[in-house]
Amino acid sequence: LFIFTLSCLPVSPCLAKIFYSKDEAMKLAFGDDVTVEMMSLFPTPEEAAQIEQLAKVKLESNLFSFYVGKKQGEIIGYAAIETHNVRTKPETLLVVLNAEGKLRNVFTLAFHEPPEYQPPERWYDQLGNHTLEQLSFSQDIQGISGATLSTRAALNAARKVLAVFQVNVKDKQK
């Protein structure tokens, strides 16, 4: 009799990696001594169509949550937590905008695909200070061999957050 057990198969949850909790993500986005408020947005059908056109990506939900970081009553930035499938498994990104709504950072909060498909931090660093229109491989964003789906998913998430900000937040927050 031969008993065979594997605790970790290549496609098992053992590959899942959670890097930050929600509280840690908010500190990563805004730092310490900041008040974080959640803003729930419900785009109208017209706004959703505008967001999809700007972002070049389909909205999966009629609810979108932004986190607003405030220090001494002043808005210092915005953040959104985006979860999507890369290949067959989910990835969760934190997309951080400055107070003016310009992309500041993108951080991986959780990645459930094999680790070799995950773009390194230096790849995400190139996304900062780009506008919605500049977030494209046809512009100055470099792709990564072996992580094509992951980088495309990250660009889509960042474009979606920027488009939602532009349509639903930009002129409504003061």
Side-chain angles (χ1 to χ4, degrees), residues 11-114:
V11 291
S12 77
C14 297
L15 295 174
K17 179 93 171 151
I18 298 173
F19 300 100
Y20 300 99
S21 68
K22 183 179 171 187
D23 289 340
E24 291 169 330
M26 293 302 109
K27 283 187 180 191
L28 189 63
F30 306 119
D32 291 322
D33 301 325
V34 173
T35 303
V36 178
E37 299 172 2
M38 190 171 100
M39 178 189 330
S40 296
L41 304 171
F42 300 92
T44 65
E46 295 80 18
E47 290 169 334
Q50 187 179 5
I51 291 165
E52 288 177 350
Q53 182 180 12
L54 287 168
K56 298 179 178 110
V57 66
K58 183 124 176 77
L59 290 180
E60 298 83 32
S61 172
N62 291 340
L63 168 64
F64 199 86
S65 298
F66 261 97
Y67 298 90
V68 184
K70 294 183 177 182
K71 199 171 229 177
Q72 298 173 351
E74 292 290 318
I75 295 174
I76 62 166
Y78 301 87
I81 296 174
E82 274 293 300
T83 299
H84 50 266
N85 280 345
V86 174
R87 293 172 84 91
T88 59
K89 306 266 188 240
E91 166 185 59
T92 301
L93 299 176
L94 174 68
V95 180
V96 184
L97 309 180
N98 66 18
E100 292 76 39
K102 193 169 188 181
L103 185 62
R104 198 182 86 207
N105 302 91
V106 178
F107 301 99
T108 304
L109 299 183
F111 192 78
H112 298 275
E113 292 284 354

Side-chain angles (χ1 to χ4, degrees), residues 82-154:
E82 274 293 300
T83 299
H84 50 266
N85 280 345
V86 174
R87 293 172 84 91
T88 59
K89 306 266 188 240
E91 166 185 59
T92 301
L93 299 176
L94 174 68
V95 180
V96 184
L97 309 180
N98 66 18
E100 292 76 39
K102 193 169 188 181
L103 185 62
R104 198 182 86 207
N105 302 91
V106 178
F107 301 99
T108 304
L109 299 183
F111 192 78
H112 298 275
E113 292 284 354
E116 61 269 17
Y117 296 155
Q118 183 181 4
E121 277 186 45
R122 71 180 184 283
W123 183 83
Y124 288 107
D125 290 344
Q126 73 176 319
L127 303 181
N129 294 316
H130 280 83
T131 64
L132 178 59
E133 298 77 23
Q134 294 170 327
L135 285 178
S136 167
F137 290 120
S138 64
Q139 298 287 326
D140 62 344
I141 302 297
Q142 301 297 311
I144 296 178
S145 180
T148 305
L149 295 176
S150 302
T151 55
R152 188 176 319 279

